[in-house]
Amino acid sequence: MADLTPKDFPVVVPFTLHWSEMDAFGHANNARTFTWFETARIAYLARIGMTGPSGAGETRIQGGVGPILKATQAEYVRPVVFPVRLVASARVSRIGNTSVTLEHAVFGEEDGTLYTKGTAVIVTLDYVKNEPVPLPAPVRVAIEALEGRTFGP
């Protein structure tokens, strides 16, 4: 993920760093990064129709199938300091049988400075059986359409 820019990602969510996100060392607390990644990830999942089932029991993908976060990781490239407008971004780097790997990055909105990058692995879960299931074909099609490319088997 070297030489990244926001234009490399199909989903980009702008936001303002809040004063309360700063820690005692004068920069954004590292835990905030995972919230920023989550914001971009949920926006991505909404774009591909993979946002259910909800806690209220609503099923957005037939059969009670939905995403669950398996793993996430971050690499802090440079400290984020107040005041700044940022963008959190997401793109898919790999589609497996029951999982999707996303790449995330947080940039300065005005200058494109890369602050943080990382990954997340999402598993397609049958929420009734609590078991991984194959990624639904319509979701794969939606990912490929959003990314503008195809992924191997």
Side-chain angles (χ1 to χ4, degrees):
M1 292 194 340
D3 300 324
L4 292 176
T5 73
K7 292 178 183 177
D8 296 321
F9 294 83
V11 173
V12 176
V13 180
F15 63 99
T16 301
L17 177 69
H18 295 98
W19 178 257
S20 63
E21 295 174 299
M22 305 291 283
D23 64 19
F25 298 104
H27 55 73
N29 184 278
N30 64 295
R32 300 305 304 155
T33 293
F34 292 102
T35 299
W36 303 337
F37 285 0
E38 176 187 56
T39 297
R41 185 168 55 253
I42 297 302
Y44 193 104
L45 293 174
R47 295 266 306 267
I48 63 170
M50 193 177 179
T51 55
S54 75
E58 176 187 355
T59 301
R60 297 200 177 121
I61 298 177
Q62 275 191 306
V65 172
I68 193 162
L69 184 65
K70 178 180 181 180
T72 187
Q73 160 286 324
E75 179 182 336
Y76 303 95
V77 177
R78 65 180 340 138
V80 178
V81 296
F82 185 88
V84 67
R85 290 256 323 147
L86 301 167
V87 295
S89 56
R91 67 181 178 189
V92 167
S93 61
R94 179 185 168 278
I95 298 176
N97 181 42
T98 62
S99 66
V100 174
T101 302
L102 290 112
E103 293 178 344
H104 291 293
V106 175
F107 300 95
E109 184 179 49
E110 292 179 15
D111 61 7
T113 297
L114 176 62
Y115 288 102
T116 309
K117 57 186 178 178
T119 59
V121 177
I122 301 293
V123 171
T124 312
L125 189 73
D126 179 323
Y127 274 80
V128 175
K129 296 178 183 175
N130 195 35
E131 296 176 355
V133 295
L135 184 72
V139 173
R140 183 185 189 95
V141 168
I143 291 169
E144 290 179 341
L146 181 58
E147 294 287 339
R149 61 191 175 106
T150 58
F151 292 81

